[in-house]
């Protein structure tokens, strides 16, 4: 069986065309706009994460053992055939109001008042109710003293006892000079992360691997830092170990809720990359040049976003923004409708850029009918009015060149369909350029027409990603044939590609389709990616 599987690996690999580094679709022509390292790989280099994966996979039987004995013997029922190629080694402020002085305590008060007052999902639930345990993924945040801070479902006050048990488990293991990382109980995975004075716990029975859950918990932790900064968080608990952090986070739970919802459906977080709005390259160039020409004193980043998609970004030559920081910016804009009503001025900490202090963000939509939102991030806390004038100049030029109209049109079309690739058996794909930390994928269409089918497709991608990025046995290519589709994942030094085909497709046909898809993405890269990097 092992010899037969090895022979089939060669047959599959021979159908793949080599793509030279730097020639892959989406590679930047000059320096990159975003920090190229992905958050998942950053964490994968952490020894604690590596141990998590190894311990988890050993319990589930070694991948390599199952491969040598029977390719499909240890797979779930739906996974019929797997062939693997191993790797060869904010204060909100109207512009008509007065002083620009920023008081951090006042910021939190105003932010809490501007956030929508809608009730959070399932706030009346507690652990004793049957519906509470049916949620697929829970996230808990507590202090080292056991004080509840956040729960994704239910009310923290009703979960005090449960969070106390979590704190006791962490303390018990630490007393033995060890750290608890993951607990596997049947289909459930319990992942623990201790970050300074905070304990974060994820409980999940879905396809998410411990590594993927750890990435998600780190995003949640960074969301908290975006409000408080690491320095302030540590200082608060140094002064008072029993402090109730919910007082400082009041009104910001909505942002954590929204972040968790995004991570359950948006592949951006899984891939550690940013999706760009599909625009003609000439329009994107005009927008980038406009942001360049309208720079203000002490301006660090100028960013235009539309519905969690990056339109373009301008930065100083010596600074590069990490994708995870940009995801926090997207979450800030998408989680609150308050920014649509007035120009806003809010402090935000970008943990990957600098977790010890704030940047001050001017946030404003260009027009009520345009989804594009402008963010100007400055180190000067008193530059609100200067940035407001800067926005008017930017808006005037973009309107003159009909760029806002192009953004609105592109957003209305949402994305592109799989039919535009001209590949009959291809149902869906996700392509990431690793050198630029950007990714693209078409709108999800047939046969994934229901919510349940779309969720299932995302779970299949989670499985594919988990197997390829396994720290125990990382893979270069994986072909998985299931009952409902054939999945192919391919990772090189320049890109990552995840595809879904008809289950009746042959492997040779699928690999030829992959090569054709890469050529199509290369042809459309000016529209799908930010190729030119704009700097101040």
């Amino acid at each position: 069986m092992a010899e037969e599987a090895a022979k089939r690996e060669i047959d599959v690999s021979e159908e793949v065309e080599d793509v030279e580094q730097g020639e892959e679709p989406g590679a930047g022509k000059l320096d990159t706009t975003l920090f190229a390292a992905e958050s998942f790989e950053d964490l994968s280099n952490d020894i604690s994460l590596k141990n998590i994966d190894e311990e988890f996979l050993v319990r589930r039987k070694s991948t390599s053992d199952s491969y040598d004995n029977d390719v499909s013997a240890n797979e779930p029922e739906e996974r019929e055939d797997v062939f693997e190629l191993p790797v060869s080694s904010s204060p909100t402020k109207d512009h008509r109001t007065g002083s620009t002085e920023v008081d951090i305590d006042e910021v939190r008060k105003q932010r809490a008042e501007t956030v929508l007052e809608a009730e959070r999902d399932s706030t009346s639930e507690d652990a004793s109710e049957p519906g509470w345990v049916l949620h697929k993924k829970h996230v808990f945040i507590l202090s080292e003293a056991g004080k509840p801070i956040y729960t994704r479902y239910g009310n923290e006050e009703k979960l005090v006892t449960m969070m106390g048990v979590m704190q006791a488990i962490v303390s018990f293991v630490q007393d033995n000079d060890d750290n608890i990382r993951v607990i596997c109980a049947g289909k459930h995975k319990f992942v623990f992360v201790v970050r300074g004075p905070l304990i974060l716990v994820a409980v999940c029975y879905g396809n998410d691997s411990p590594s993927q859950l750890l990435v998600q918990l780190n995003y949640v932790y960074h969301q908290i830092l975006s409000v408080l900064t690491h320095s302030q968080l540590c200082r608060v608990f140094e002064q008072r170990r029993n402090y109730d952090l919910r007082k400082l986070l009041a009104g910001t739970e909505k942002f954590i809720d929204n972040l968790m919802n995004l991570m359950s459906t948006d592949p951006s977080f899984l891939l550690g990359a940013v999706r760009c709005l599909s625009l003609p390259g000439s329009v994107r160039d005009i927008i980038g040049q406009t942001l360049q020409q309208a720079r203000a004193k002490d301006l660090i980043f100028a960013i235009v976003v539309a519905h969690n998609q990056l339109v373009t970004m301008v930065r100083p030559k010596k600074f590069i923004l990490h994708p995870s920081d940009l995801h926090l910016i997207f979450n800030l804009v998408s989680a609150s409708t308050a920014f649509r009503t007035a120009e806003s001025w809010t402090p935000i900490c970008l943990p990957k850029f600098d977790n010890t202090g704030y940047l001050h963000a001017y946030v404003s939509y260009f027009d009520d009918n345009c989804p594009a939102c402008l963010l100007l991030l400055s180190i000067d806390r008193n530059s609100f009015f200067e940035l407001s004038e800067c926005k008017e100049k930017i808006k005037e030029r973009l309107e003159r060149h009909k760029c806002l109209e192009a953004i609105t049109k592109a957003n209305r079309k949402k994305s592109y369909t799989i039919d535009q690739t001209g590949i009959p058996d291809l149902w869906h794909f996700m392509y990431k350029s690793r050198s630029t930390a950007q990714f693209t994928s078409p709108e999800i269409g047939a046969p994934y027409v229901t919510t349940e089918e779309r969720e299932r497709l995302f779970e299949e991608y989670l499985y594919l990603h988990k197997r390829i990025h396994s720290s125990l046995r990382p893979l270069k290519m994986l072909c998985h044939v299931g009952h409902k589709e054939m999945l192919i994942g391919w990772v090189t030094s320049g890109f990552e590609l995840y595809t879904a085909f008809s289950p009746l497709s042959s492997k040779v046909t699928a690999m030829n389709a992959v090569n054709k898809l890469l050529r199509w993405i290369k042809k459309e890269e000016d529209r799908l990616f930010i190729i030119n990097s704009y700097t101040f």
Side-chain angles (χ1 to χ4, degrees), residues 134-404:
L134 295 179
H135 293 297
K136 201 168 189 177
K137 186 188 301 177
H138 288 268
V139 170
F140 308 95
I141 307 175
L142 56 146
S143 68
E144 284 188 318
K147 282 276 188 180
I149 297 173
Y150 169 86
T151 177
R152 187 183 184 190
Y153 299 108
N155 188 292
E156 296 88 3
E157 294 294 340
K158 296 181 179 181
L159 301 173
V160 171
T161 302
M162 177 173 289
M163 293 198 186
V165 172
M166 294 177 184
Q167 187 273 337
I169 293 173
V170 172
S171 297
F172 176 79
V173 176
Q174 287 178 338
D175 288 342
N176 291 285
D177 296 324
D178 204 348
N179 293 304
I180 188 167
R181 303 185 185 99
V182 61
I183 298 174
C184 300
K187 294 183 179 180
H188 285 77
K189 297 173 283 287
F190 300 75
V191 177
F192 294 77
V193 173
V194 179
R195 291 287 183 267
L198 301 184
I199 298 172
L200 300 93
V201 183
V203 181
C204 176
Y205 69 89
N207 261 4
D208 306 69
S209 70
S211 304
Q212 292 162 349
L213 291 172
L214 180 55
V215 170
Q216 295 172 27
L217 288 180
N218 272 275
Y219 267 107
V220 174
Y221 174 65
H222 287 165
Q223 179 62 52
I224 293 177
L225 293 188
S226 73
V227 178
L228 296 177
T229 78
H230 182 266
S231 301
Q232 187 171 357
L233 179 66
C234 294
R235 184 166 60 250
V236 165
F237 283 99
E238 284 173 0
Q239 295 173 353
R240 188 176 170 187
R241 186 174 179 272
N242 222 23
Y243 185 77
D244 187 352
L245 197 63
R246 289 177 296 176
K247 296 177 182 178
L248 292 180
L249 295 176
T252 65
E253 300 92 343
K254 180 179 181 66
F255 297 102
I256 304 179
D257 291 341
N258 190 68
L259 183 66
M260 290 302 307
N261 292 334
L262 287 175
M263 287 191 291
S264 298
T265 58
D266 191 341
S268 301
F269 302 89
L270 175 67
L271 299 176
V274 173
R275 187 198 298 270
C276 299
L277 182 67
S278 180
L279 275 176
S282 57
V283 175
R284 206 187 303 275
D285 287 339
I286 292 174
I287 300 173
Q289 292 165 8
T290 301
L291 296 180
Q292 269 184 322
Q293 295 170 6
R295 80 156 299 181
K297 182 182 178 182
D298 295 323
L299 183 63
I300 301 296
F301 298 108
I303 306 170
V304 179
V305 302
H307 287 172
N308 291 331
Q309 299 175 93
L310 180 63
V311 177
T312 195
M313 181 176 73
V314 181
R315 59 176 178 80
K317 291 182 179 180
K318 60 181 179 179
F319 294 133
I320 297 178
L321 198 60
H322 195 282
S324 66
D325 284 340
L326 199 52
H327 289 153
L328 295 180
I329 292 174
F330 288 174
N331 187 56
L332 172 71
V333 174
S334 65
S336 176
T337 58
F339 296 122
R340 280 197 170 274
T341 61
E343 296 172 289
S344 299
W345 185 241
T346 180
I348 181 173
C349 172
L350 301 179
K352 288 286 188 176
F353 180 73
D354 178 11
N355 66 7
T356 62
Y358 291 103
L359 292 177
H360 299 275
Y362 170 89
V363 186
S364 176
Y365 282 83
F366 286 108
D367 188 272
D368 291 340
N369 299 318
C370 181
C373 180
L374 174 68
L375 297 101
L376 302 175
L377 278 66
S378 172
I379 58 175
D380 183 1
R381 60 189 289 174
N382 298 315
S383 62
F384 175 85
F385 294 109
E386 182 182 1
L387 295 179
S388 180
E389 294 174 1
C390 185
K391 178 249 183 175
E392 293 303 322
K393 295 177 183 178
I394 294 172
K395 179 181 177 181
E396 187 275 330
R397 189 168 190 266
L398 294 184
E399 287 180 333
R400 184 171 4 115
H401 291 277
K402 298 184 178 181
C403 292
L404 297 184

